[in-house]
């Protein structure tokens, strides 16, 4: 049984929940189809010691000892993958799966591609529809994704390869689903995604974590139950009120949304350059400023609201109610409206982001590299519908967001938004201005809902027990 | 806008045929309804025998039309061949003339988000806005805006600004008045027990005032709160001066009057100066540095395009809506007055106490007491609540029979007590598990989110509907509750004071509660944005209010666990068969925004007002950090 919020069982959670491992430069994500469940369980039992948990040792003087191994491993499973580990075939229809995976939400059981409505609200339509995905979708010839193996390592490519080799499953157990492109080492990425903007800046702070003690007044402190099963969530509702051992399998686990977004970096900058050039006065910074308006931050991460510097994450939009600084439809304002939503029920729709870029980094954003570039978007939450899907539907892809009309997120939503017209309004004085016919700058190449089990649950799965240990 | 429903029984053997027909029409609702110019929303829903718990299945045709147009609309429907074809599947439908109007059902409670608007004017406003937009956005001013940083928050004179002031003054009143009362009570020549009771009452009132002031203060916009903070030392100094004046010049009122006058003059002068300065600052903010007349120029360009729209009804007609509100007050006050005249004070307080007690019991019934078991088998918490209320009524009785207060004072205390009782958070009733299949959720979701507007159709089964006496009582309570709310709040307050914002949430175009029969009541709503947001908004903002209506439903789990409540609401829903929207893509907020733009353009205005109207092209305004700011229309 998970303990109280004051004493979360960090050692039973996978480390990804607490950290994106910024000290490990390299990562490799591997997707597998489980062919032989028994062999897969054997492999899982064998690599258990490698799976990183979220526990941080405390020194006698009270300071935290950061145990920094040079290799971290985390494992997540899709609903069919979980079923397969529990002795089912994994090909059951969602109703059958739901019966066996009691306590797991419909969204997880059906999968991200499972329903037309879900695809619609997430914007996975057009050329981002699942029939075009390289993995996780319905493209003929793609294998179903069952298991996601995440290997993180410090050092060079050879060190990463060695780490991967150490935990690679045997071929009789699982076969790889395609090959995901290698991630961009963090030292090369320099904290920026491919469009050239600082990324991953605003994260919720887990209540009960060390950070929550360091920043007790932060507006970002969010109940642990929003990200980890078995704890009270932001509504004070325990996420796992059941004593059903099958439902208890969720304890200390989390849902992991894993998506591969291809970024059209050249398209983005061409579009911005053209718009800036077509709008009059020669301003050498116009393109960069326009791109910043789309994102809502300067490339270095400074938010476009008054009195906020680049390291400040406690800003809100009170000081910029009309969007004169950070446009109301800007990417950061849409994906986290902060105090614009009901302040009494703040942080009910947060996600923990753990993404990394992939593909080569150009020396300059406008430079073509001739290879696919993008982002492995990863986020953790315990209620897919209230958190990840809510953000996508009600904020990012909502044409009427915060008083706007007929427009979606200019960076990741435009055009795909079923009702939007690819427009983006920039509020300002004396009158607002508008960009029209923006194309969509990202394309979904693969996506799926995974479950990141707790350590005990992984043990149980390795033994073939689809239930929590008593 | 007027909202109605027509309910007809479907022929037992024609239900499938009707479904097929509606399925075919579903794809092109515009073809069917486009010619009805006064129509806002319309839908056909089939509630089958399973949902209703008995045969025959019913066809519900609910619609919203312009004010006063319902009868004409229904007559037009009766002569429409397609609609004739639809109702041809119903019992006794020949001839259709008069058939629909006879089967109309007025809702017990309904809400309209855009009162006094016609469908034509809503569409015209959007067209006007688009025309203006094309002009506004055609010019090349993008680069001017790029380096712009916000100047900060402009001034508002509305609740946001008032809220911290109200909080401060409420707190001040409690802090200053409560001790005075205690001192007076201490010195008074009452019995000791009475003093204790009155002291307790006073402490409760003072604590309530402080809690209220604190929560008002904490939820105020931080920036505006800071402005108020700056005044606190001045207020304290003013208070100290007043006390000193009172202390030393109590016998010389000339001095105090003189001082007060002087202070008043100084204050007025300061306010005048501050207002002037503020106005200059505002003008400086809306004028770009290089061109002071840019806004006016922009405006003159826009003025070349303008339209006409409907005006709100005359003042007398709006006042007329308050007749129920006024009437209900007259009943309460008149009753008190008569009771006082007739039998002296004891009778008055007996009436008041009975009123208080009845209200408490009624509230209990509304939220579902007794949740399960026999009538007297209430839970420990229920018993504690009843005991507390009885005690409260007794204390009230005692206090009122002994204390000397004018009868209006008494009535005021009772009214406040009754309203306070309304806010008592009652425990959610325990519901039996309900069935909600994944398939049903999927079927409902497939109908949703094709547009910013959505339609919700639900059939809730009344609790205890299988027990005649209990269901009769419950139905009576529900009917009374809906009717009182409808007449006193929804008809009077909402359209004219709140301008259609239901508890400040402008997301509902039109919604109705309709008691269908002894077992079922329907909820039909046209709302904005996703279903989750809709239920979340209402579940969080007015959980107790929702509980009082939904709580009558069988298996309702209460709103404490919002996820469970949402599942319950889903389980009562039935997918609609056909739905028509007269102005898809428009949220309530945008309808209001478009109207304000039209008014602004038509009326012409000074520089500040022009800036406000032009700003509305960027986004419908919202004020952050407010209780429900994301949904606010100005």
């Amino acid at each position: 049984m998970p303990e109280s919020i004051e004493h979360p069982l960090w050692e039973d959670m996978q480390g990804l929940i607490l950290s994106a491992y910024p000290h490990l430069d390299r990562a490799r994500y591997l997707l597998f189809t489980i062919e032989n469940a028994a062999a897969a369980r054997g492999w899982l039992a064998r690599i258990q010691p490698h799976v990183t948990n979220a526990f941080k040792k405390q020194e006698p003087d009270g300071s935290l000892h950061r145990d920094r191994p040079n290799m971290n491993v985390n494992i997540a499973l899709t609903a069919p993958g979980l079923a397969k580990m529990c002795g089912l075939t994994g090909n059951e229809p969602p109703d059958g799966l739901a019966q066996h995976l009691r306590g797991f939400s419909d969204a997880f059981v059906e999968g991200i591609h499972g329903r037309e409505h879900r695809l619609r609200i997430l914007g996975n339509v057009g050329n981002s529809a699942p029939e075009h995905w390289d993995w996780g979708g319905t493209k003929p010839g793609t294998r179903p994704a069952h298991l996601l193996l995440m290997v993180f390592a410090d050092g060079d490519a050879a060190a990463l390869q060695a780490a991967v080799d150490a935990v690679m499953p045997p071929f009789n157990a699982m076969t790889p689903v395609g090959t995901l492109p290698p991630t961009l080492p963090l030292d090369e990425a320099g904290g920026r995604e491919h469009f050239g903007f600082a990324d991953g800046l605003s994260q919720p702070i887990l209540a009960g974590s060390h950070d929550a003690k360091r920043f007790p007044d932060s507006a970002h402190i969010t109940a642990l139950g929003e990200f980890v099963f078995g704890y009270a969530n932001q509504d004070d509702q325990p996420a796992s009120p059941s004593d059903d051992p099958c439902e208890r399998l969720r304890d200390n686990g989390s849902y992991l949304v894993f998506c591969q977004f291809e970024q059209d970096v050249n398209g983005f900058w061409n579009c911005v350059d053209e718009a800036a050039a077509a709008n009059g006065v020669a301003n050498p910074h116009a393109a960069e400023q326009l791109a910043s308006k789309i994102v809502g931050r300067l490339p270095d991460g400074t938010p476009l609201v008054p009195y906020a510097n680049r390291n400040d994450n406690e800003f809100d939009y009170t000081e910029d109610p009309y969007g004169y600084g950070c446009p109301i439809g800007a990417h950061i304002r849409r994906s986290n409206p902060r105090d614009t939503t009901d302040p009494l029920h703040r942080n009910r729709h947060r996600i923990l982001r753990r993404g990394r870029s992939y593909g080569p980094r150009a020396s300059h954003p406008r430079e073509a590299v001739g290879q696919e570039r993008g982002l492995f978007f990863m986020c953790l939450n315990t209620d897919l519908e209230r958190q990840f899907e809510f953000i996508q539907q009600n904020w990012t892809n909502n044409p009427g967001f915060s008083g706007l009309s007929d427009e979606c997120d200019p960076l990741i939503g435009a055009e795909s938004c079923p009702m939007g017209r690819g427009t983006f309004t920039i509020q300002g004085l004396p009158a607002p201005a508008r960009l029209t016919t923006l194309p969509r700058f990202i394309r979904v190449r693969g996506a799926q809902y995974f479950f990141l089990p707790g350590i005990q649950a992984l043990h149980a799965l390795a033994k073939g027990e689809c239930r929590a240990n008593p | 806008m007027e909202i109605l429903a027509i309910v007809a029984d479907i022929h037992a053997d024609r239900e499938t045929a009707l479904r097929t027909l509606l399925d075919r029409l579903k794809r092109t609702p515009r073809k069917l309804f486009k010619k009805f110019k006064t129509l806002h929303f319309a839908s056909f829903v089939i509630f089958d025998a399973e949902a209703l718990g008995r045969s025959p299945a019913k066809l519900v045709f609910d619609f919203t039309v312009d004010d006063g147009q319902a009868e004409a609309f229904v007559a037009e429907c009766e002569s429409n061949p397609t609609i004739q074809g639809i109702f041809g599947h119903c019992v006794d439908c020949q001839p259709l003339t008069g058939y629909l109007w006879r089967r109309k059902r007025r809702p017990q409670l309904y809400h309209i988000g855009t009162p006094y608007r016609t469908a034509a004017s809503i569409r015209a406003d959007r067209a006007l806005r688009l025309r203006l937009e094309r002009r506004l956005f055609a010019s090349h001013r993008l680069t001017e805006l790029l380096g712009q940083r916000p100047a900060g928050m402009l001034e508002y004179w509305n609740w946001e600004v008032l809220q911290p002031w109200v909080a401060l003054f409420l707190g001040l009143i409690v802090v200053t008045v409560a001790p005075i009362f205690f001192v007076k009570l201490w010195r008074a020549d009452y019995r000791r027990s009475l003093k204790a009771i009155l002291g307790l009452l006073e402490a409760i009132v003072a604590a309530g005032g402080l809690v209220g002031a604190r929560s008002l203060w904490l939820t105020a916009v931080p920036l505006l709160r800071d402005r108020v903070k700056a005044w606190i030392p001045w207020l304290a100094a003013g208070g100290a001066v007043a006390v000193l004046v009172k202390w030393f010049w109590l016998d010389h009122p000339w001095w105090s009057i003189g001082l007060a006058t002087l202070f008043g003059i100084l204050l007025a002068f300061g306010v005048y100066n501050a207002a002037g300065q503020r106005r200059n600052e505002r003008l400086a903010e809306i004028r770009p540095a290089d061109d002071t007349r840019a806004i006016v120029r922009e405006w003159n360009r826009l003025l070349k395009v303008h339209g006409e729209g409907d005006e709100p009804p005359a003042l007398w007609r709006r006042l007329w809506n308050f007749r129920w509100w006024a009437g209900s007050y007259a009943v309460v006050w008149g009753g008190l007055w008569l009771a006082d005249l007739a039998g002296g004070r004891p009778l008055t307080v007996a009436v008041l106490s009975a009123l208080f007690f009845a209200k408490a019991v009624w509230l209990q019934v509304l939220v579902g007491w007794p949740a399960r078991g026999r009538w007297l088998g209430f839970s420990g918490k229920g018993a504690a609540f009843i005991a507390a209320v009885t005690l409260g009524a007794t204390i009230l009785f005692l206090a009122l029979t002994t204390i000397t207060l004018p009868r209006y004072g008494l009535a005021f205390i009772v009214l406040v007590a009754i309203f306070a009782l309304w806010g008592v958070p009652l425990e959610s009733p325990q519901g039996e598990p309900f069935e909600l299949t994944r398939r049903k959720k999927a079927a409902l979701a497939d109908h949703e989110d094709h547009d910013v507007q959505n339609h919700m159709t639900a059939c809730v089964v009344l609790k205890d509907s299988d027990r005649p006496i209990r269901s009769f009582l419950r139905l009576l309570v529900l009917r009374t509750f809906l009717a009182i709310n409808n007449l006193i709040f929804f008809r009077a307050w909402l359209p004219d004071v709140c301008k259609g914002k239901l508890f400040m949430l402008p997301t509902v175009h039109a919604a109705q509660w309709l008691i269908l029969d002894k077992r079922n009541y329907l909820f039909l709503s046209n709302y904005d944005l996703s279903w989750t947001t809709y239920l979340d908004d209402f579940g969080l903002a007015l959980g107790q209010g929702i509980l009082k209506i939904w709580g009558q439903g069988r298996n309702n789990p209460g709103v404490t666990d919002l996820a469970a409540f949402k599942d319950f609401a889903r389980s009562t829903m039935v997918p609609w068969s056909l739905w028509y929207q007269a102005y898809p893509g428009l949220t309530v907020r945008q309808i209001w925004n478009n109207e304000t733009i039209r008014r602004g353009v038509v009326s012409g205005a000074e520089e500040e007002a022009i800036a406000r109207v032009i700003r509305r092209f960027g986004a419908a305004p919202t004020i952050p950090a407010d209780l429900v700011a994301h949904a606010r229309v100005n």
Side-chain angles (χ1 to χ4, degrees):
Chain A
M1 194 71 186
E3 291 181 28
S4 65
I5 191 68
E6 286 80 22
H7 304 287
L9 280 178
W10 299 114
E11 63 272 28
D12 193 33
M13 298 173 203
Q14 293 201 45
L16 200 63
I17 286 177
L18 209 53
S19 168
Y21 309 134
H23 60 291
L24 299 178
D25 270 341
R26 287 167 194 270
R28 177 82 57 80
Y29 303 131
L30 301 146
L31 285 167
F32 296 98
T33 307
I34 300 173
E35 303 290 354
N36 178 336
R41 285 194 285 266
W43 165 79
L44 191 58
R46 184 168 63 75
I47 65 149
Q48 284 281 335
H50 293 287
V51 176
T52 315
N53 69 29
F55 183 62
K56 285 177 185 170
K57 269 182 263 172
Q58 199 151 23
E59 297 291 334
D61 64 353
S63 69
L64 279 184
H65 167 70
R66 277 187 176 269
D67 190 15
R68 291 189 159 175
N70 53 12
M71 163 186 171
N72 281 353
V73 176
N74 288 132
I75 292 170
L77 294 142
T78 59
L82 204 56
K84 198 131 188 179
M85 286 301 237
C86 296
L88 304 174
T89 63
N91 299 324
E92 288 84 0
D95 281 331
L97 277 185
Q99 223 168 11
H100 287 94
L101 301 176
R102 280 201 304 280
F104 287 89
S105 72
D106 288 345
F108 172 67
V109 169
E110 286 161 2
I112 199 168
H113 64 295
R115 239 162 58 189
E116 188 265 340
H117 176 251
R118 178 162 294 119
L119 295 172
R120 190 145 39 81
I121 63 174
L122 295 180
N124 292 339
V125 292
N127 67 0
S128 288
E131 57 263 31
H132 305 300
W133 294 355
D134 295 339
W135 57 271
T138 51
K139 187 157 128 186
T142 49
R143 263 189 257 269
H146 285 162
L147 186 140
L148 171 65
L149 178 65
M150 295 161 272
V151 184
F152 303 85
D154 202 5
D156 56 6
L160 179 66
Q161 191 55 46
V164 171
D165 290 342
V167 293
M168 197 66 178
F171 280 109
N172 66 339
M174 301 190 240
T175 41
V177 180
T179 314
L180 297 182
T183 60
L184 183 66
L186 295 184
D187 53 354
E188 286 178 40
R192 297 192 181 195
E193 47 69 58
H194 285 302
F195 290 132
F197 287 83
D199 193 22
L201 294 173
S202 175
Q203 298 273 17
I205 296 177
L206 303 188
S209 70
H210 184 58
D211 279 348
K213 291 180 191 107
R214 281 171 65 206
F215 310 106
D217 298 327
S218 172
H220 298 280
I221 295 181
T222 309
L224 189 57
E226 295 286 305
F227 310 107
V228 188
F229 282 110
Y231 302 89
N233 66 14
Q234 201 68 10
D235 292 338
D236 277 337
Q237 290 294 320
S240 177
S242 160
D243 288 333
D244 182 337
C246 191
E247 292 190 16
R248 293 268 312 281
L249 194 66
R250 298 179 312 176
D251 284 354
N252 292 313
S254 182
Y255 290 128
L256 172 72
V257 183
F258 182 59
C259 306
Q260 183 182 351
F261 293 142
E262 179 184 353
Q263 293 172 277
D264 182 5
V265 181
N266 295 116
F268 174 74
W269 283 104
N270 285 343
C271 183
V272 166
D273 285 340
E274 272 171 30
N279 277 283
V281 238
N283 171 356
H285 305 297
E288 192 177 276
Q289 284 172 335
L290 182 58
S292 303
K293 286 280 186 186
I294 289 177
V295 176
R297 292 181 187 270
L298 297 178
D300 69 0
T302 310
L304 296 179
V305 297
Y307 322 127
N309 62 42
R310 60 176 288 221
N311 299 317
D312 178 11
N313 193 31
E314 297 296 322
F315 69 90
D316 55 32
Y317 297 112
T318 314
E319 295 291 346
D320 189 14
Y322 310 125
Y324 292 165
C326 179
I328 289 172
H331 176 63
I332 65 159
R333 202 155 171 164
R334 271 184 181 269
S335 28
N336 182 8
R338 296 172 184 250
D339 59 328
T340 324
T341 58
D342 184 348
L344 292 183
H345 302 101
R346 213 171 151 156
N347 293 338
R348 288 184 79 248
H349 311 287
R350 297 299 297 268
I351 49 174
L352 273 173
R353 290 174 298 147
R354 296 289 183 247
R356 287 188 182 219
S357 290
Y358 69 86
R361 170 59 51 91
S363 55
H364 190 270
R366 288 175 181 76
E367 188 186 316
V369 293
Q371 266 187 58
E372 186 188 326
R373 294 182 273 179
L375 178 78
F376 285 122
F377 173 86
M378 290 172 129
C379 76
L380 295 164
N381 57 150
T382 51
D383 191 335
L384 290 163
E385 284 164 349
R386 180 165 57 79
Q387 293 169 272
F388 172 68
E389 290 182 0
F390 183 96
I391 293 173
Q392 292 286 307
Q393 178 185 10
N394 292 282
W395 294 344
T396 306
N397 291 331
N398 175 0
F401 173 79
S402 208
L404 300 170
S405 349
D406 301 327
E407 58 181 77
C408 286
D409 189 302
L411 191 66
I412 63 169
E415 198 189 48
S416 77
C417 169
M419 293 157 276
R421 299 177 302 187
T423 53
F424 174 53
T425 309
I426 301 173
Q427 291 80 21
L429 289 165
R434 184 171 279 180
L435 296 178
T436 49
T437 59
L438 283 178
R440 193 182 193 190
F441 301 116
I442 64 147
R443 183 181 156 198
V444 182
R445 302 302 303 265
Q448 201 43 270
Y449 291 153
F450 290 84
F451 175 65
L452 186 81
I455 303 289
Q456 288 294 328
L458 276 179
H459 277 296
L461 287 174
K463 285 190 217 148
E465 295 168 9
C466 213
R467 43 179 50 228
N469 276 346
Chain B
M1 278 153 75
E2 226 174 314
I3 186 165
L4 268 187
I6 287 164
V7 182
D9 292 344
I10 304 173
H11 252 301
D13 50 350
R14 295 209 199 139
E15 191 184 324
T16 324
L18 179 59
R19 278 186 197 278
T20 320
L21 173 65
L22 289 174
D23 245 11
R24 193 158 52 74
L25 295 171
K26 181 172 161 179
R27 271 165 254 140
T28 51
R30 285 194 70 73
K31 216 167 114 188
L32 172 56
F33 284 114
K34 215 173 89 184
K35 47 185 154 312
F36 297 98
K37 296 297 178 201
T38 58
L39 184 64
H40 293 249
F41 293 94
S43 78
F44 284 100
V45 199
I46 297 175
F47 291 96
D48 57 17
E50 195 191 334
L52 296 174
R54 65 186 178 84
S55 299
K58 285 184 193 296
L59 176 67
V60 174
F61 172 40
D62 89 290
F63 54 85
T64 315
V65 290
D66 292 350
D67 282 318
Q69 296 297 319
E71 196 161 0
F73 169 74
V74 170
E76 213 181 326
C77 282
E78 283 168 350
S79 60
N80 181 292
T82 318
I83 293 176
Q84 282 173 355
I86 293 172
F87 280 98
H89 297 75
C90 295
V91 180
D92 296 336
C93 62
Q94 293 302 337
L96 199 62
T97 318
Y99 174 88
L100 296 183
W101 190 246
R102 277 198 307 276
R103 272 161 186 74
K104 69 175 185 300
R105 300 285 292 272
R106 301 249 176 217
Q108 272 68 32
L109 174 68
Y110 67 95
H111 167 62
I112 278 164
T114 48
Y116 311 124
R117 299 301 310 276
T118 59
S121 80
I122 290 175
R123 280 192 295 255
D125 279 0
R126 169 160 64 183
L128 169 69
R129 181 200 152 104
L130 291 176
R131 277 210 308 282
L132 292 172
E133 260 182 17
R134 269 199 291 282
R135 246 170 206 281
L136 189 66
F137 293 127
S139 63
H140 297 195
R141 83 173 61 72
L142 187 64
T143 38
E144 287 174 39
L145 305 184
L146 292 180
Q148 217 166 67
R149 301 294 291 251
M153 194 163 169
L154 297 192
E155 193 69 82
Y156 277 90
W157 273 110
N158 59 16
W159 174 242
E160 277 70 28
V161 176
L162 280 183
Q163 190 177 341
W165 287 106
V166 172
L168 179 68
F169 281 108
L170 186 59
L172 275 180
I173 287 171
V174 174
V175 169
T176 51
V177 173
I180 295 175
F181 182 89
F182 278 123
V183 170
K184 286 198 165 176
L185 188 63
W186 183 255
R187 290 182 184 163
D189 194 16
Y190 291 154
R191 266 176 295 153
R192 190 172 280 241
S193 57
L194 179 62
K195 273 189 189 177
I197 289 170
L198 290 178
L200 184 68
L201 271 179
E202 165 63 16
I204 290 171
V205 170
L210 278 183
V211 168
R214 181 172 173 272
S215 70
L216 274 179
W217 181 260
L218 289 182
T219 54
V221 181
L223 188 74
L224 298 174
R225 201 163 57 194
D226 289 344
R227 284 187 194 161
V228 174
K229 268 186 204 163
W231 278 86
I232 291 178
W234 292 103
L235 282 174
V241 167
V243 168
L244 288 176
V245 166
K246 178 89 177 154
W247 192 272
F248 290 110
W249 290 288
L250 193 59
D251 298 331
H252 303 279
W254 288 107
W255 286 101
S256 56
I257 291 170
L259 268 178
T261 313
L262 187 65
F263 185 68
I265 290 170
L266 281 174
L267 188 71
F269 182 69
V271 167
Y272 174 77
N273 265 336
Q277 193 184 345
R278 185 69 213 152
R279 185 185 148 77
N280 289 340
E281 280 171 19
R282 274 191 312 229
L283 287 177
E285 276 169 6
I286 60 174
R287 284 179 188 147
D290 53 341
D291 182 2
T292 52
R293 301 255 73 93
I295 287 214
V296 179
R297 202 181 56 217
E298 204 68 66
W299 181 252
N300 289 333
R301 286 181 339 106
L302 284 186
L303 278 186
K304 292 171 190 157
V305 188
H306 64 80
E308 310 250 329
D310 29 60
E311 292 299 312
L315 180 66
W316 63 266
R317 201 186 136 191
R318 281 184 282 158
L319 284 179
W320 179 240
N321 286 339
F322 285 86
R323 64 198 186 277
W324 295 104
W325 184 267
S328 64
Y329 269 89
V331 167
V332 172
W333 293 94
L336 288 176
W337 190 66
L338 281 178
D340 195 35
L341 272 189
R345 204 168 296 119
L347 184 59
T348 317
V349 285
V351 169
L352 294 181
S353 303
L355 206 70
F356 188 74
F357 189 76
K359 164 92 183 183
V361 175
W362 189 44
L363 267 177
Q364 275 282 300
V365 177
L366 270 179
V367 296
W369 176 78
R372 52 168 66 170
R374 292 164 296 124
W375 266 95
L376 292 174
F378 44 77
S379 66
K381 283 190 182 172
F385 179 74
I386 293 293
V389 165
T390 314
L391 190 68
T394 316
I395 292 176
L396 205 65
F397 184 88
L398 282 176
L400 296 183
T401 42
T402 355
I403 197 169
T404 314
L405 266 179
R407 60 174 165 269
Y408 295 112
L410 300 187
F412 181 73
I413 290 177
V414 173
L415 279 181
V416 168
I418 286 175
F419 275 105
L421 192 60
W422 191 263
V424 174
L426 295 163
E427 203 191 9
S428 301
Q430 282 291 313
E432 300 296 322
F434 48 84
E435 197 193 358
L436 174 63
T437 58
R438 213 184 47 77
R439 202 173 293 275
K440 177 161 187 178
K441 269 166 92 170
L444 290 167
D446 284 344
H447 279 68
E448 288 168 7
D449 303 315
H450 292 275
D451 186 63
V452 287
Q453 299 169 354
N454 273 311
H455 188 44
M456 174 173 176
T457 45
C459 173
V460 190
V461 179
L462 198 72
K463 211 181 277 183
D464 302 326
S465 59
D466 43 353
R467 297 174 187 179
I469 297 175
R470 283 165 70 165
S471 74
F472 172 77
L473 285 173
R474 199 174 283 283
L475 206 57
L476 190 69
V477 166
L478 182 63
R479 254 180 212 284
T480 322
F481 180 74
L482 292 179
I484 289 179
N485 259 297
N486 199 38
L487 293 175
I488 292 180
F489 182 67
F490 279 79
R491 296 288 61 76
W493 203 252
L494 267 179
D496 295 304
V497 178
C498 303
K499 287 188 174 178
K501 283 175 276 179
L502 185 54
F503 299 98
M504 299 192 284
L505 297 165
T507 52
V508 185
H509 290 268
Q512 57 174 329
W513 281 101
L514 175 68
I515 297 184
L516 193 64
D517 51 39
K518 284 178 191 161
R519 179 182 181 270
N520 305 298
Y521 57 118
L522 305 182
F523 179 59
L524 310 164
S525 169
N526 299 288
Y527 60 94
D528 288 333
L529 311 183
S530 76
W531 187 82
T532 317
T533 323
Y534 182 41
L535 275 258
D536 264 1
D537 274 352
F538 281 87
L540 293 174
L542 40 138
Q544 286 294 319
I546 279 193
L547 199 54
K548 283 166 188 124
I549 304 179
W550 284 91
Q552 303 304 309
R554 183 187 288 173
N555 303 339
N556 163 56
V559 289
T560 325
D561 181 355
L562 210 53
F565 175 73
K566 281 195 282 192
D567 279 348
F568 164 70
R570 272 284 193 225
S571 78
T572 64
M573 284 171 70
V574 173
W576 44 263
S577 302
L578 186 150
W579 180 46
Y580 168 77
Q581 319 140 262
Y583 31 83
L586 277 183
T587 60
V588 176
R589 258 178 101 163
Q590 284 156 4
I591 292 175
W592 281 105
N593 194 41
N594 293 348
E595 186 188 359
T596 316
I597 288 176
R598 184 232 311 147
R599 281 175 193 286
V601 173
V602 170
S603 66
E606 55 171 349
E607 200 171 344
E608 274 183 73
I610 293 173
R612 276 203 295 277
V613 174
I614 289 186
R615 195 164 63 220
R616 284 173 181 270
F617 287 94
T622 173
I623 301 167
D626 180 56
L627 209 63
V628 276
H630 61 299
R632 177 68 68 93
V633 177
N634 253 17

